[in-house]
Amino acid sequence: MRNIFLSLLLALSISGMAEDVQIRDVFRQMPDSILPTLSVNNRLDMIDFMDSHMKAEVTNLLEGKSEMTALGEDSLTIRVSDALNISILLLNTTEMIDSCNQVVCLVQTYGTDSLCLNSKIEFYTIQWQKLSHTPQLSETDKHRVLSLDKKTILNYMDAILKKD
């Protein structure tokens, strides 16, 4: 009986921790391989600067400047370089993924000219395991992701021309 009680208590505490996940925790745990330009210390400094209401600019590993421009409870945005911006969203799913109803959406937007932007969207578990499929999202979260998907008319026309 005692073992059952302890097991139940452990399961409830784990599920409670999964619901309390914030984007800053996910960003801290991001593997270097996903965003090799920023070190762990760069990421931690950005969060500290934002919390202190300072400009969250750091010198990245390529000796360039990167800046976190927004940090919320469930999203953040970083200008990694003049040609790369990333947004990370913490989204709720309608399905359980790794015993959690949340996923991480990483949107990388490439380009320097607003007419020639292109985005790459990837989904991960909150432990940064890449998902091979697009998870089931609420309509609100679908719109959040689509609003960050920069496919300009030039990209669209290029895709059409390549189909023929």
Side-chain angles (χ1 to χ4, degrees):
M1 182 69 166
R2 180 178 161 173
N3 288 340
I4 294 172
F5 177 73
L6 289 175
S7 298
L8 182 61
L9 184 62
L10 179 62
L12 288 174
S13 66
I14 290 172
S15 66
M17 288 188 317
E19 293 174 10
D20 293 331
V21 174
Q22 292 186 349
I23 195 69
R24 62 184 55 234
D25 300 323
V26 172
F27 184 58
R28 282 183 190 115
Q29 297 169 357
M30 174 190 272
D32 292 340
S33 60
I34 293 176
L35 189 58
T37 309
L38 296 175
S39 69
V40 173
N41 287 335
N42 289 149
R43 295 193 303 267
L44 295 174
D45 286 344
M46 286 178 162
I47 292 170
D48 288 343
F49 292 151
M50 291 296 281
D51 288 343
S52 299
H53 305 288
M54 298 170 57
K55 184 175 184 178
E57 185 176 82
V58 297
T59 301
N60 61 41
L61 296 176
L62 297 176
E63 300 299 322
K65 297 291 182 187
S66 296
E67 180 183 3
M68 182 180 287
T69 56
L71 175 63
E73 293 294 317
D74 63 354
S75 64
L76 62 83
T77 304
I78 297 173
R79 181 189 47 78
V80 179
S81 70
D82 290 338
L84 174 61
N85 288 295
I86 66 162
S87 293
I88 303 174
L89 305 172
L90 190 58
L91 305 172
N92 293 317
T93 62
T94 58
E95 60 186 315
M96 292 291 281
I97 298 176
D98 283 351
S99 68
C100 183
N101 281 8
Q102 291 180 306
V103 293
V104 177
C105 177
L106 174 67
V107 181
Q108 301 175 57
T109 303
Y110 300 92
T112 56
D113 184 351
S114 62
L115 293 176
C116 299
L117 297 176
N118 198 18
S119 295
K120 178 181 176 186
I121 299 172
E122 298 175 313
F123 292 94
Y124 295 86
T125 67
I126 60 172
Q127 292 84 23
W128 290 103
Q129 299 300 313
K130 189 170 182 177
L131 297 176
S132 59
H133 67 287
T134 301
Q136 296 292 322
L137 302 172
S138 69
E139 287 301 315
T140 304
D141 283 344
K142 283 180 190 176
H143 290 295
R144 286 179 69 197
V145 173
L146 290 176
S147 72
L148 295 172
D149 190 6
K150 306 294 184 207
K151 300 244 188 282
T152 62
I153 190 68
L154 295 177
N155 299 121
Y156 177 74
M157 293 305 292
D158 187 47
I160 289 174
L161 292 173
K162 286 182 180 178
K163 286 184 180 178
D164 294 338

